[in-house]
């Protein structure tokens, strides 16, 4: 299978999954609009830290990891069909964590009277906020359609673009590879700049005293899927330092040391050395985003992000070599 067809298939599959997910959520929101409304009361309101899955890498080569995010956990009770029902879902929108935790807790304190929306046929399906902007769905569907259209046009025009570029650069046989590597280098440079900008922002963040809850070496799984469908697994090691802190009376927990590139190694020595920098029970300075206190770091800046710039420059050099510029 040609590389361009493989990339086209991956892109279309990802685009399709996003469209299906958006359509499913849209249908859920439409159903919630006809749910019954009843008076309820908040019985519990607190912040909660949870480990959520995340992964990094390309579609064929990925590292599966977790991270700690903070959530507003609100419980409530109401009566439906003559029985007391309970619920803990604030919004019909999916909560990915680390978003407006303090605001939600302030909006729904213990004892507050609230309106609960529930499915008459299944009262266990209930929510406090059933409204969700349709604009987001419209934009998602529009972007999905544009991505599919651009992908198809790109497939139809690939040979023509290569021929045009080949008129200005030598070594026509390597032109397609040079274009592909150039695009990869461009994305890598954009990623490096995003990390740099995020790291620079932390220098203006206020600080608060926190406590190290744990600092240890974690084992994560990586895998590589070959073109013949065979998948290879192996394990990597990383340091993970978990710390607690409070901002305006709200408790938070995080395991992000900095916005620098996360280091993974096939041996424990490097990860162990990083983990030993922090001792459980010790006080640490925590720098947090004043607009979103759920986001915090122990080290300001983006240590190690220069490595991403090196990779981007190396890819640009490879692309230049492929098309004969150097």
């Amino acid at each position: 299978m040609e590389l361009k067809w493989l990339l086209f298939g991956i892109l279309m599959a990802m685009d399709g999954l996003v469209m299906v997910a958006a359509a499913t959520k849209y249908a859920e929101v439409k159903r919630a609009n006809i749910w019954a409304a009843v008076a309820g009361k908040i019985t519990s309101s607190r912040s909660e830290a949870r480990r959520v899955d995340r992964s990094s890498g390309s579609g064929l080569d990925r590292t599966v990891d977790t991270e700690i995010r903070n959530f507003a956990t609100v419980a409530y009770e109401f009566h439906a069909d003559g029985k007391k029902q309970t619920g803990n879902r604030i919004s019909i929108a999916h909560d990915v964590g680390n978003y407006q935790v303090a605001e939600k807790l302030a909006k729904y304190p213990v004892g507050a009277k609230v309106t609960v929306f529930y499915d008459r046929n299944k009262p266990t399906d209930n929510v406090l906020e059933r409204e969700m902007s349709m604009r987001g769905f419209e934009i998602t569907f529009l972007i999905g359609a544009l991505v599919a259209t651009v992908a198809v046009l790109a497939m139809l025009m690939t040979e023509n673009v290569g021929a045009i570029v080949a008129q200005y650069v030598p070594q026509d046989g390597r032109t397609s590879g040079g274009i592909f590597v150039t695009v990869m280098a461009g994305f890598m440079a954009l990623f490096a700049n995003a990390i740099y900008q995020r790291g620079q922002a932390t220098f203006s963040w206020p600080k608060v005293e926190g406590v190290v809850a744990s600092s240890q070496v974690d084992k994560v799984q990586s895998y590589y899927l070959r073109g013949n469908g065979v998948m290879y697994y192996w394990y990597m090691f990383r340091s993970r330092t978990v710390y607690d802190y409070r901002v305006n009376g709200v408790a938070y927990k995080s395991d992000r040391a900095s916005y620098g590139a996360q280091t993974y190694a096939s041996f424990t020595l490097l990860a162990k050395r990083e983990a030993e920098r922090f001792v459980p029970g010790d006080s640490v300075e925590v720098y947090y985003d004043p607009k979103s206190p759920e986001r915090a770091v122990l080290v300001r800046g983006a240590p190690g992000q220069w490595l991403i710039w090196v990779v981007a420059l190396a890819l640009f050099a490879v692309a230049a070599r492929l098309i004969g510029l150097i």
Side-chain angles (χ1 to χ4, degrees):
M1 179 183 293
E2 292 186 29
L3 178 60
K4 66 177 184 179
W5 286 108
L6 177 61
L7 295 175
F8 177 74
I10 293 175
L11 179 61
M12 294 302 291
M14 294 176 61
D15 187 48
L17 288 174
V18 171
M19 296 286 278
V20 170
T24 302
K25 175 58 71 173
Y26 178 80
E28 182 184 9
V29 173
K30 296 298 288 185
R31 289 196 303 270
N33 284 336
I34 61 173
W35 284 359
V38 67
K41 183 177 70 173
I42 302 297
T43 58
S44 176
S45 182
R46 60 186 176 83
S47 61
E48 179 182 61
R50 307 173 195 164
R51 274 200 178 192
V52 299
D53 294 331
R54 69 176 181 86
S55 59
S56 59
S58 66
L60 302 179
D61 184 4
R62 304 192 71 82
T63 297
V64 182
D65 202 351
T66 62
E67 68 177 357
I68 292 178
R69 295 182 186 174
N70 296 277
F71 295 80
T73 301
V74 173
Y76 50 87
E77 61 181 26
F78 62 99
H79 285 82
D81 297 333
K83 299 179 181 179
K84 185 171 75 172
Q85 307 284 348
T86 61
N88 58 11
R89 189 176 183 184
I90 296 177
S91 174
I92 196 72
H94 180 62
D95 188 359
V96 298
N98 280 359
Y99 180 70
Q100 294 187 345
V101 173
E103 291 83 350
K104 294 173 183 176
L105 297 180
K107 184 176 181 180
Y108 298 110
V110 174
K113 304 296 183 181
V114 293
T115 299
V116 180
F117 303 96
Y118 72 96
D119 187 340
R120 294 180 179 87
N121 298 319
K122 190 179 179 183
T124 53
D125 287 349
N126 51 72
V127 70
L128 296 179
E129 301 173 3
R130 64 178 178 181
E131 298 298 327
M132 190 171 175
S133 174
M134 294 295 105
R135 186 66 175 172
F137 291 110
E138 295 172 358
I139 293 175
T140 300
F141 293 137
L142 177 60
I143 292 177
L146 286 175
V147 168
T149 302
V150 171
V152 172
L153 291 176
M155 288 298 297
L156 296 175
M157 298 174 61
T158 297
E159 297 301 328
N160 293 332
V161 172
I164 293 173
V165 175
Q167 295 178 6
Y168 301 96
V169 296
Q171 300 184 30
D172 178 60
R174 298 185 178 183
T175 299
S176 296
I179 294 174
F180 176 69
V181 177
T182 299
V183 172
M184 289 180 59
F187 278 114
M188 187 66 70
L190 290 174
F191 177 60
N193 183 66
I195 291 180
Y196 171 77
Q197 295 296 335
R198 184 172 293 184
Q200 287 298 109
T202 62
F203 286 103
S204 63
W205 288 2
K207 65 180 179 180
V208 67
E209 185 175 292
V211 178
V212 176
S214 64
S215 190
Q216 61 190 32
V217 175
D218 271 8
K219 182 170 66 174
V220 299
Q221 189 179 69
S222 294
Y223 66 85
Y224 175 72
L225 179 63
R226 298 187 61 180
N228 59 5
V230 178
M231 185 174 291
Y232 293 91
Y233 293 91
W234 67 93
Y235 289 98
M236 306 285 281
F237 300 92
R238 58 156 292 184
S239 64
R240 187 187 300 276
T241 299
V242 180
Y243 51 94
D244 299 301
Y245 62 102
R246 300 181 72 90
V247 177
N248 296 326
V250 178
Y252 299 100
K253 186 185 293 286
S254 179
D255 60 354
R256 179 177 290 279
S258 73
Y259 278 114
Q262 176 62 55
T263 302
Y264 296 96
S266 57
F267 48 88
T268 61
L269 181 61
L270 180 60
K272 184 178 180 181
R273 185 177 300 172
E274 286 293 319
E276 289 176 346
R277 294 175 56 193
F278 302 97
V279 179
D282 280 0
S283 296
V284 288
E285 290 184 340
V286 178
Y287 302 92
Y288 67 93
D289 185 346
K291 297 180 180 179
S292 182
E294 306 88 354
R295 299 168 53 195
V297 295
L298 296 178
V299 180
R300 291 182 291 186
Q305 57 91 24
W306 61 270
L307 288 172
I308 305 177
W309 285 110
V310 171
V311 173
L313 291 174
L315 288 174
F316 277 122
V318 170
R321 179 62 177 172
L322 285 174
I323 60 179
L325 294 180
I326 58 175

